[in-house]
Amino acid sequence: MEKIIINGGQTRLTGQVEIEGAKNAVLPLLAATILPSEGETVLHNVPILSDVYTMNKVVRHLNIPLDFSENQKTVTTQAATEIAIEAPYEYVSKMRASIVVLGPILARNGHARVSMPGGCTIGSRPIDLHLRGLRAMGAEITQRGGFIEARAEQLHGAHFYMDFPSVGATQNILMAATLAKGTSILENVAREPEIVDLANLLNKMGADVKGAGTDTIIVKGVEKMHGAHHSVVQDRIEAGTFMLAAAMTQGNVLILEAVREHNRPLLSKLSEMGADVIQEEDGIRIIGPKTLKAVHVTTLPYPGFPTDIQAQMTAAQSVAMGESTMIETVFENRFQHLEEMRRMGVSVDISRNTAIIQGANDLTGAEVQSTDLRASAALILLGMVASGLTMVDNLEHLDRGYYHFHEKLAALGADIKRVKHEEIADV
């Protein structure tokens, strides 16, 4: 077990930072490697994250040869003539995103058996939309013994409207539709850059997908798919985390190759808070003001303000002058990190899905527990501006979505270390 220790209060981040491939993109891309029946698939710019290792195990369990080169940041898979039908509990329970293998397995085999995903600390994340979409394409689905079992001799095209633009459901149904007979029209789908990235890979594999990035995707089913080469899109959430870190610390940081379009809601709020947002040839530079201004934020599905940057934004709101509000509309239980932030002096009132934050109070370091992936990063950001030592525990959450996070912050000037528990007395 390890902790991150930050000596905060005097940090001013400066320099430039390289961003990894997107966690939220690479997991469905790995699931898509189930679909080809011939050839080799090579994914480039693969982030070295615990969730990637878990998804790799799922793919290998399905009898698909897979090699992960950490040095090259590539995953190479070979198309399998026959794949297994089952994704077991030991993998799916560790990572809910692995449910996206359901559609590809069903499309390839006509039969899929995937463990029910467990609960989630940030909300229930029901999978009913996944199942309704597959049923619309002709699948018979049963749930028993902790497994979802789906059968369809041949999936067929369908016209399916999603009640909510779920990212996972969009990915699952989209991948299943690529090998369905006929045309599928998927309406009110998720529009995230990660959806576009998945569609780009599927088209390279021989699929016929149009409309990704809009609220309607049209998929003409094909008989078979083949391997392809593809580079994973940049992680806009990691990029956004470093943007907020620069703004909070009166910093001056260039986020290399950051995509303005992907980060537009956050960049707008950073400007509103008084930060300078400068587009440069090599990326986006964020220069933090002496004092951040209070801001009101509501999370929404893309292209709205991302829920995955909500916790990090509340850290920034905690040091902004005045009263800020954060309204969370995507997940019903994503304010747990604020209870830990209170230990550091953050003044916040929470009523259902709304947090009212009184900023610019004196913040002091404390021992805090990560409650989920993005909360981990938020607590570390707050630790950089709080006086004294902050110790952040439960780093298994952080490792699911950030690679060498403390090392990147240290390179920018943060006084931060990652140590084993038994080494803490020597710090």
Side-chain angles (χ1 to χ4, degrees), residues 19 54 72 74 89 93 97 106 113 121 124 132 183 206 263 278 300 302 330 334 343 385 395 406 409 411:
I19 304 301
T54 299
Q72 299 296 320
T74 60
Y89 173 79
S93 63
L106 177 61
R113 191 169 185 265
T121 59
S124 59
R132 284 171 50 200
T183 298
N263 295 282
I278 305 169
L300 291 166
Y302 190 87
V330 180
R334 207 167 196 177
R343 293 172 53 79
V385 295
L395 298 184
H406 72 289
L409 288 170

Side-chain angles (χ1 to χ4, degrees), residues 269 272-273 293-297 313 317 320 323-326:
K269 290 299 176 183
E272 191 177 336
M273 298 177 84
K293 301 174 185 176
V295 70
H296 305 293
V297 180
M313 174 56 86
Q317 290 173 313
E323 182 178 282
S324 296
T325 59
M326 174 64 73

Side-chain angles (χ1 to χ4, degrees), residues 231-244:
S231 185
V232 181
V233 71
Q234 186 187 87
D235 195 320
R236 62 193 171 97
I237 305 303
E238 184 192 4
T241 302
F242 279 98
M243 291 174 184
L244 284 164

